[in-house]
Amino acid sequence: MPRNAAFDSVRNHVLKEADVDTEAFWASLRGGDQGTTEEPLPLSECTTDGAWVTVRAKIVELWDPREDSIHQVGLVGDESGRMKFVAWTKSNPPVLEEDTTYTFKDVVVDEYDGNYSLKINSRSEIIEHARDSPEAIGTVGTMTTVYEGVFVAIQSQSGLIKRCTDPECTRVIQQGECSEHGPNEGEFDLRIKGVLDDGESVQECLFTAGMTEVVTGIDLETAMEMASDALDLTVVERRLTEMLIGRRFTVEGPLLGRYLLVDEVTDSSNRAFAQGYHDAVDDLLSEYGYYGPGLTAENIEDLPQTYDAPVAAGGN
Ligand SMILES: [Zn+2]
């Protein structure tokens, strides 16, 4: 028996003898709200990297593990939302079934690139709930957020990027290297990490390749052609910046960490301004190479909407 496990089991025994709630004890050791078997933490609140949490969730989807080290991988969901989970083979976890609710005790929140997932490890305890039990999760929430604002910035690592070719790794590689797997040729992908501003707050938004095409008409193939013509990957990011900055959009999707993962987007320029006005603003912004924050929906609305209609004094 490993020394730590022996120590834990003695401590648990002592706590039990002393009639101390072991779960509360562990939770207090870890600090913060981690959830308990009776009161699991909502998935939407699993946003502390490295936190040990207890959640109750239904298996929404199982994916094919692409590595022997992974026992099961997929999506779990509760009323508050859904989240990726991974169970490692070495931790000898039970086989989880789709559409079944489980309480996952002592699983670890993992954050990567603003996305959160749950890792089931050898210390985790999994309790299955019958489908007709009060614990069973009914409808899984999607936590969709709607945000309307002006596109004020595009963050680095937007446009044409290269991802690590390791099947379980989606990290963006830089200078031909994955931070986890070393030198890697990489696979092209297209995305936008953008910032929308509604005049009162900002929202970081992630547009996948599909959503980038919806919002700009540029798909992965076109982006690769653009880069190959210019012998420069960054040409795509510059083009996207020119197309989007200063335009108003309504986006909708789940919040993943600090990003809104856009799965619906509408150009809401028409709600406030004519296309000509936007073209003028776009031209002006690209002329000045505008790139940073500061432009808000409010101050853009303070600008004149037309340049050819002087206000007639005394007119109605
Ligand atoms: Zn990698």
Side-chain angles (χ1 to χ4, degrees), residues 232-251:
D232 180 9
L233 293 191
T234 60
V235 70
V236 177
E237 185 183 327
R238 285 202 300 277
R239 179 79 189 108
L240 297 175
T241 305
E242 286 165 16
M243 292 177 84
L244 296 172
I245 297 294
R247 285 170 64 193
R248 181 196 293 259
F249 293 99
T250 304
V251 293

Side-chain angles (χ1 to χ4, degrees), residues 76-269:
V76 289
D78 67 6
E79 286 83 358
S80 76
R82 55 188 76 200
M83 215 166 177
K84 183 185 165 182
F85 81 94
V86 180
W88 304 102
T89 309
K90 66 180 178 203
S91 64
N92 203 23
V95 176
L96 304 176
E97 290 186 23
E98 271 182 16
D99 218 28
T100 302
T101 299
Y102 302 88
T103 295
F104 298 89
K105 219 174 131 183
D106 291 332
V107 291
V108 178
V109 179
D110 185 63
E111 190 251 328
Y112 179 69
D113 212 7
N115 298 330
Y116 295 95
S117 61
L118 291 175
K119 308 280 188 215
I120 296 169
N121 60 71
S122 52
R123 293 262 316 260
S124 307
E125 204 181 304
I126 297 170
I127 303 151
E128 184 178 331
H129 300 288
R131 289 183 194 206
D132 54 2
S133 68
E135 286 86 6
I137 305 278
T139 308
V140 168
T142 50
M143 272 198 302
T144 294
T145 297
V146 180
Y147 191 90
E148 183 184 349
V150 173
F151 219 113
V152 291
I154 285 187
Q155 297 172 331
S156 62
Q157 298 189 356
S158 289
L160 197 56
I161 55 164
K162 276 188 157 187
R163 293 190 187 276
C164 176
T165 52
D166 185 293
E168 289 301 326
C169 178
T170 54
R171 286 172 172 80
V172 174
I173 62 171
Q174 287 177 292
Q175 276 97 45
E177 289 220 6
C178 168
S179 60
E180 193 72 19
H181 298 97
N184 193 295
E185 208 178 292
E187 220 173 341
F188 280 116
D189 193 12
L190 181 66
R191 73 159 177 205
I192 300 167
K193 289 164 84 173
V195 184
L196 265 62
D197 187 325
D198 68 0
E200 285 172 351
S201 66
V202 292
Q203 175 63 55
E204 291 172 272
C205 299
L206 194 64
F207 296 76
T208 58
M211 280 297 124
T212 300
E213 187 185 350
V214 168
V215 79
T216 63
I218 296 174
D219 62 8
L220 180 58
E221 204 176 312
T222 311
M224 283 162 70
E225 276 166 23
M226 286 164 66
S228 134
D229 287 347
L231 297 171
D232 180 9
L233 293 191
T234 60
V235 70
V236 177
E237 185 183 327
R238 285 202 300 277
R239 179 79 189 108
L240 297 175
T241 305
E242 286 165 16
M243 292 177 84
L244 296 172
I245 297 294
R247 285 170 64 193
R248 181 196 293 259
F249 293 99
T250 304
V251 293
E252 191 173 339
L255 283 177
L256 288 173
R258 57 181 218 260
Y259 286 97
L260 189 155
L261 179 64
V262 178
D263 54 30
E264 254 179 73
V265 56
T266 34
D267 188 325
S268 33
S269 307

